[in-house]
Amino acid sequence: MQLTHRGHACLLLEEQDQRILVDPGTFSDLDDLTGLTAVLVTHQHPDHLDPRRGPELLRANPDARVLVESQTAELLADQGLGGRLERLEPGGRVDLGPVELRPVGEQHAVIHPWVERIGNTGVVLEAGGTALFHPGDALDADPGPVDLLAVPVNAPWGKIAETLEFVRRVPPRRGVVPVHDGLLNDTGRSMYLKHIGDFGAEGGVEVLDLRGVGAATL
C-alpha cells in the first residue's frame, strides 16, 4: 500500500484502484484531492473533519463512499449529505475493493472532566497482507495484530506515557506512523518522535515518519 501524510491526523491510502482518505481535518492539506473512492472519519472534532472543507471535499468526490462514526453521521446528515453516509460499526467489516476495513473502538479519549466524551471509531485497513490501524483520538481499542500503527503524537488529551503504553500494547510488526502532530513545532515534534522510537518497545520501535516525503510504499 502507498501512504501519504496529508497533515495532522489525515492519511491517504492508495492500493490498486482505491484512494482512501482518513480524517480530513482543519490542520490537513485537502487541496486538489479528487478521485477518492472512500472518505473515513473517526469522529466529529474539526481537526478530523473540517466543518467547512470536509463537506466541500465530499461534494468534489461524488463517487466516494463516506464512512463515518455514528455521531458524526448525524452532523453530516444536517448538511444534506445523509444519503451518502455509511456508519462505522465496531466489530463489522467493509470491503473497499482490495482493501478490507474493520472499525474498532467506540469512545474518544478523556480530555478533562469538563468536556463530554464523544464517539470515536478507529479503523483497521488491510491490503496485500499489510494491516494499518488508525485509532482516531483514543488509545484503548484492540485492533488485533497490525503491521503499521498510526500513533497520535500530541493532543490536549494526550500524555506521552500513555502513548508509549499504547505502542507497547499494540506492537506493530513494521513500525509506527506519526500522526496528530499539528499543534507542534519542529523541535517539539522531534522530541516526541524520539521518545516514541526509543521507548515504544523494548529496544525501540521503528518510526516511519511520512511528513513531507509524499507517497511512501509500506
Side-chain angles (χ1 to χ4, degrees), residues 103-126:
V104 182
E106 297 183 2
Q107 275 196 306
H108 192 285
V110 174
I111 300 174
H112 55 68
W114 300 279
V115 173
E116 182 179 355
R117 293 182 75 177
I118 61 170
N120 179 93
T121 300
V123 290
V124 177
L125 297 163
E126 185 167 2

Side-chain angles (χ1 to χ4, degrees), residues 68-215:
V68 299
E69 179 272 332
S70 293
Q71 292 177 1
T72 309
E74 296 175 10
L75 296 177
L76 286 174
D78 292 338
Q79 300 190 39
L81 295 165
R84 295 180 58 186
L85 301 178
E86 301 176 55
R87 295 175 185 247
L88 293 170
E89 300 291 351
R93 293 178 183 268
V94 180
D95 289 328
L96 299 171
V99 181
E100 181 181 84
L101 163 65
R102 290 191 290 111
V104 182
E106 297 183 2
Q107 275 196 306
H108 192 285
V110 174
I111 300 174
H112 55 68
W114 300 279
V115 173
E116 182 179 355
R117 293 182 75 177
I118 61 170
N120 179 93
T121 300
V123 290
V124 177
L125 297 163
E126 185 167 2
T130 298
L132 162 73
F133 178 43
H134 189 309
D137 278 7
L139 303 179
D140 58 353
D142 183 5
V146 297
D147 301 283
L148 302 169
L149 183 63
V151 176
V153 174
N154 167 263
W157 52 268
K159 180 179 179 182
I160 189 63
E162 295 173 350
T163 303
L164 299 178
E165 289 171 2
F166 170 63
V167 177
R168 288 180 175 232
R169 183 177 63 81
V170 189
R173 290 183 284 247
R174 289 280 311 281
V176 300
V177 177
V179 295
H180 214 287
D181 54 3
L183 296 176
L184 296 172
N185 62 25
D186 290 343
T187 302
R189 185 175 184 274
S190 297
M191 181 181 68
Y192 276 91
L193 297 193
K194 180 170 174 50
H195 276 296
I196 293 169
D198 289 349
F199 306 115
E202 293 297 330
V205 63
E206 185 172 4
V207 176
L208 304 168
D209 188 4
L210 303 184
R211 191 175 74 165
V213 303

Side-chain angles (χ1 to χ4, degrees), residues 4-130:
T4 305
H5 186 201
R6 301 286 300 200
H8 197 55
C10 187
L11 291 176
L12 174 65
L13 183 151
E14 297 174 272
E15 173 72 17
Q16 297 183 35
D17 61 343
Q18 294 294 304
R19 284 171 50 83
I20 301 168
L21 190 71
V22 183
D23 281 0
T26 49
F27 293 100
S28 304
D29 175 13
L30 306 182
D31 294 336
D32 303 321
L33 275 171
T34 56
L36 298 177
T37 55
V39 177
L40 315 180
V41 181
T42 62
H43 66 284
Q44 63 188 270
H45 283 161
D47 59 326
H48 293 254
L49 177 63
D50 188 315
R52 179 180 60 84
R53 294 184 302 156
E56 290 177 1
L57 174 74
L58 298 181
R59 294 185 181 99
N61 290 272
D63 296 325
R65 294 177 68 175
V66 185
L67 297 110
V68 299
E69 179 272 332
S70 293
Q71 292 177 1
T72 309
E74 296 175 10
L75 296 177
L76 286 174
D78 292 338
Q79 300 190 39
L81 295 165
R84 295 180 58 186
L85 301 178
E86 301 176 55
R87 295 175 185 247
L88 293 170
E89 300 291 351
R93 293 178 183 268
V94 180
D95 289 328
L96 299 171
V99 181
E100 181 181 84
L101 163 65
R102 290 191 290 111
V104 182
E106 297 183 2
Q107 275 196 306
H108 192 285
V110 174
I111 300 174
H112 55 68
W114 300 279
V115 173
E116 182 179 355
R117 293 182 75 177
I118 61 170
N120 179 93
T121 300
V123 290
V124 177
L125 297 163
E126 185 167 2
T130 298

